[in-house]
């Protein structure tokens, strides 16, 4: 997609008015940062951040066999999800390679909302449509019908409680409910991608500016600031959360990504990728995702080679890396051989021609108190 | 922030002073804004030779790492240790406290090929 066809969220003018640095992300014009991305990162860790995530894809699956269709299409046990609950899941190809990671919300007995990454929304919608064939279920790409805002951080509850028409204590982590927030009808989900408590609010695009403005005003006294995709990336990295296209690709299965728990080989429904995933589960992963921390200040970046510290032979690859605002040190995730994955193992990274030492550390790098 | 007068700029977004030799060298506001928050500055050693257009250091920001390119030939006579201790100076004051190195130029800055005036640089960056 060229820049002339760049998609704009309903908050585009709001971001410009805030002086945001905008970036192309999966064909969308999105806010990278409004001021200092480090300040935005810290606000989310210590107070709250307000995000525009409208680029995410929303696909509904409805009908009497919607749950069965999703059991067949995804690796998770979707029919076990309770109404008003959400589950992290994945859609894999027949070889077990990951096509996308998803959150599945069960809005009703026969009513599911699948939230896909922006870069994969069309692929996921197409796969769900194909895989639901033969089931009494209707798959609809509704990405155009939703804006998505998120309030993330320890002050999220205090900010939202006076605006919401329901008791937020009843919306547990990975739960969702229809609600009215500042007079706007939303699907209010206690989910996020920052490692903090927080909420994601799905609303009609026409309501997005009103909702954003109300949240920004209500949050200002609680330290909430607008937060862009740049800090979202460092927040999720500190929280050890994978990003599609980096940690997750069609070249790996959930087992390499340490996410074998999302694959429910015990469910009765046959599902796409089952045989390959059952075999991989039995034989074990071919490499494994680890956390790395550098004692130095140069940052291992995505694509850099991980080296044997003695022979300097390449043994793996960095998938994501950044200076961690919370830890004050460079952190990264990488795929390495299984016998190099023990925390405390010293490895090296080829940082622009120099082998810099790094240490394997347990994930996540950061866990909220 | 407006840039100080009498600076010349390279196409690699470094500036250098023209009122004396050694010249002070830093990166432009445009470059600092594009980088995002700078978290690590690696500068050459005092006494090192630098060559126009060649890397002589690194700036690590949240999203990326960028080379510092020497805007002219010469010898490093001083490095800004304050900016090494507090890389955020590059963002907050790129033309002042966020300067990077002082270089004894082989030829006066005004005679170095390929450098731009502020007006030319602003046109170059589309500012």
């Amino acid at each position: 997609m060229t820049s002339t066809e760049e998609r704009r969220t309903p908050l585009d003018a709001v971001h410009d008015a805030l002086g945001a640095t905008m970036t192309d992300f999966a064909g969308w014009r999105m806010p990278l940062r409004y001021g200092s991305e480090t300040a935005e990162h810290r606000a989310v860790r210590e107070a709250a951040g307000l995000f525009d995530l409208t680029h995410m894809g929303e696909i509904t699956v409805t009908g009497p066999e919607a749950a069965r269709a999703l059991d067949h299409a995804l690796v998770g046990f979707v029919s076990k999800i309770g109404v008003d609950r959400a589950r992290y899941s994945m859609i894999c190809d027949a070889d077990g390679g990951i096509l996308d990671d998803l959150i599945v919300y069960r809005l009703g007995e026969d009513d599911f909302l699948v939230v896909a990454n922006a870069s994969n929304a069309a692929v996921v919608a197409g796969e769900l449509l194909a895989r639901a064939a033969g089931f009494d279920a209707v798959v609809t790409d509704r990405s155009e019908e939703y804006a998505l805002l998120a309030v993330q951080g320890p002050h999220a509850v205090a900010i939202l409680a006076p605006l919401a028409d329901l008791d937020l204590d009843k919306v547990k982590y990975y739960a969702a409910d229809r609600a009215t927030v500042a007079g706007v009808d939303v699907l209010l989900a206690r989910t996020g991608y920052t490692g903090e408590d927080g909420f994601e609010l799905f609303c009609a695009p026409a309501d997005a500016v009103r909702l954003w403005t109300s949240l920004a005003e209500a949050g200002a006294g609680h330290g909430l600031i607008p937060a862009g995709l740049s800090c979202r990336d460092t927040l999720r990295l500190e929280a050890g959360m994978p990003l599609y296209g980096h940690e997750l690709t069609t070249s790996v299965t959930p087992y390499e990504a340490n996410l074998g728990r999302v694959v429910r080989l015990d469910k009765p429904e046959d599902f796409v990728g089952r045989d390959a995933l059952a075999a991989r589960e039995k034989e074990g992963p071919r490499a494994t995702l680890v956390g790395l921390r550098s004692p130095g200040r140069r940052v291992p970046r995505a694509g850099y080679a991980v080296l044997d510290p003695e022979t300097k032979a390449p043994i793996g690859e960095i998938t994501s890396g950044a200076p961690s605002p919370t830890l004050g040190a460079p952190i990264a995730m990488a795929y390495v051989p299984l016998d190099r994955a023990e925390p405390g193992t010293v490895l090296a990274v080829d940082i622009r021609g120099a082998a810099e030492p790094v240490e394997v550390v347990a994930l996540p790098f950061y866990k909220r108190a | 922030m407006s840039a100080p007068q009498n600076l010349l700029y390279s196409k690699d977004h470094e500036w250098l002073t023209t009122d004396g030799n050694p010249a002070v060298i830093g990166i432009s506001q445009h470059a600092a804004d594009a980088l995002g928050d700078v978290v690590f500055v690696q500068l050459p050693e005092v006494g090192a030779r630098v060559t126009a257009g060649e890397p002589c250091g690194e700036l690590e920001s949240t999203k990326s790492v960028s080379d510092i390119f020497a805007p002219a030939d010469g010898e490093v006579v001083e490095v800004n240790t304050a900016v090494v201790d507090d890389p955020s100076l590059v963002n907050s004051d790129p033309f002042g406290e966020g300067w990077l190195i002082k270089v004894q130029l082989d030829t006066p800055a005004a005679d170095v090929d390929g450098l731009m005036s502020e007006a030319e640089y602003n046109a170059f960056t589309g500012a």
Side-chain angles (χ1 to χ4, degrees):
Chain A
M1 187 174 287
T2 67
S3 60
T4 53
E5 296 161 340
E6 208 169 45
R7 297 168 77 179
R8 293 173 182 242
T9 84
L11 294 161
D12 195 63
V14 173
H15 302 318
D16 282 340
L18 288 165
T21 300
M22 304 297 286
T23 189
D24 179 280
F25 189 91
W28 289 81
R29 184 173 186 266
M30 298 300 294
L32 185 63
R33 52 188 150 85
Y34 298 86
S36 156
E37 67 270 21
T38 310
E40 292 166 22
H41 182 111
R42 295 217 166 97
V44 174
R45 287 277 178 260
E46 295 161 14
L50 177 58
F51 295 86
D52 177 6
L53 306 175
T54 299
H55 59 310
M56 301 294 284
E58 292 88 4
I59 301 145
T60 57
V61 183
T62 57
E65 291 187 317
R68 278 193 63 205
L70 285 167
D71 276 342
H72 171 70
L74 309 182
V75 300
F77 205 161
V78 177
S79 51
K80 286 282 195 193
I81 302 173
V83 172
D84 293 337
R85 300 308 300 258
R87 186 97 31 107
Y88 178 74
S89 192
M90 292 188 184
I91 183 166
C92 290
D93 62 23
D95 298 330
I98 300 168
L99 290 172
D100 201 11
D101 63 336
L102 314 156
I103 295 181
V104 182
Y105 298 89
R106 189 169 203 168
L107 307 180
E109 191 60 32
D110 302 326
D111 184 3
F112 295 84
L113 174 67
V114 176
V115 177
N117 283 298
S119 53
N120 293 326
V123 169
V124 173
E127 281 295 325
L128 288 180
L129 194 62
R131 294 178 188 193
F135 293 95
D136 188 358
V138 177
V139 176
T140 312
D141 186 347
R142 297 194 185 275
S143 299
E144 298 284 337
E145 298 169 38
Y146 285 103
L148 176 57
L149 279 59
V151 179
Q152 297 281 303
H155 295 176
V157 170
I159 292 163
L160 273 170
L163 301 178
D165 70 339
L166 50 63
D167 180 1
L168 296 180
D169 288 342
K170 296 202 171 114
V171 185
K172 305 289 185 201
Y173 187 57
Y174 264 75
D177 211 343
R178 294 181 207 278
T180 303
V181 173
V184 172
D185 291 331
V186 301
L187 174 67
L188 181 66
R190 200 159 194 163
T191 47
Y193 193 52
T194 61
E196 298 299 332
D197 188 16
F199 296 87
E200 296 182 307
L201 300 92
F202 298 85
C203 70
D207 292 331
V209 171
R210 184 154 63 110
L211 183 59
W212 174 282
T213 305
S214 299
L215 293 168
E217 285 173 2
H222 294 276
L224 172 137
I225 59 173
L229 295 185
S230 181
C231 79
R232 184 168 147 92
D233 191 42
T234 48
L235 288 159
R236 69 91 193 166
L237 177 60
E238 286 184 348
M241 294 171 164
L243 173 62
Y244 197 86
H246 288 253
E247 287 71 37
L248 309 180
T249 69
T250 52
S251 303
V252 296
T253 76
Y255 296 105
E256 280 77 26
N258 289 329
L259 290 164
R261 62 181 166 79
V262 307
V263 182
R264 293 294 297 269
L265 297 168
D266 59 324
K267 64 180 169 180
E269 194 73 47
D270 190 23
F271 62 96
V272 179
R274 171 172 217 141
D275 292 347
L277 289 166
R280 189 66 60 91
E281 195 264 344
K282 197 172 172 197
E283 75 198 27
R286 294 174 182 176
T288 191
L289 190 66
V290 295
L292 300 175
R293 182 172 172 157
S294 169
R297 304 194 49 192
R298 302 180 85 206
V299 182
R301 306 275 177 181
Y304 289 9
V306 179
L307 310 176
D308 180 298
E310 304 300 325
T311 67
K312 309 289 190 265
I315 58 168
E317 187 175 311
I318 302 288
T319 51
S320 297
S324 161
T326 306
L327 278 69
I331 58 172
M333 290 197 274
Y335 280 104
V336 300
L338 271 63
D339 63 356
R340 302 296 186 100
E342 192 65 29
T345 304
V346 174
L347 301 172
V349 177
D350 181 348
I351 299 185
R352 311 176 94 203
E356 305 274 1
V358 290
E359 183 179 329
V360 177
V361 296
L363 291 171
F365 299 101
Y366 166 86
K367 200 171 188 345
R368 69 176 180 266
Chain B
M1 179 190 294
S2 64
Q5 297 301 302
N6 301 322
L7 300 183
L8 290 174
Y9 296 83
S10 74
K11 63 174 174 45
D12 300 312
H13 307 286
E14 276 73 27
W15 54 261
L16 76 170
T17 54
T18 57
D19 52 353
N21 199 357
V24 186
I25 291 168
I27 69 164
S28 69
Q29 184 80 54
H30 172 84
D33 291 347
L35 284 175
D37 292 336
V38 176
V39 298
F40 175 49
V41 178
Q42 188 172 61
L43 299 176
E45 305 278 339
V46 171
R49 288 286 308 170
V50 297
T51 304
E54 296 291 319
C56 64
E58 283 182 359
L59 298 172
E60 292 265 9
S61 65
T62 308
K63 269 290 179 195
S64 64
V65 57
S66 305
D67 286 316
I68 302 166
F69 293 97
D73 297 349
E75 182 180 319
V76 179
V77 294
E78 189 179 343
V79 300
N80 184 2
T81 53
V83 83
V84 174
D85 292 340
D86 181 5
S88 72
L89 292 172
V90 175
N91 295 106
S92 60
D93 194 8
F95 295 116
E97 287 186 69
W99 68 275
L100 299 175
I101 53 176
K102 290 182 185 172
V103 172
Q104 182 70 39
L105 303 177
D106 294 354
T107 28
D111 297 334
V112 174
D113 286 340
L115 297 179
M116 293 176 268
S117 68
E118 183 181 4
E120 289 167 334
Y121 179 70
N122 286 342
F124 175 70
T125 58

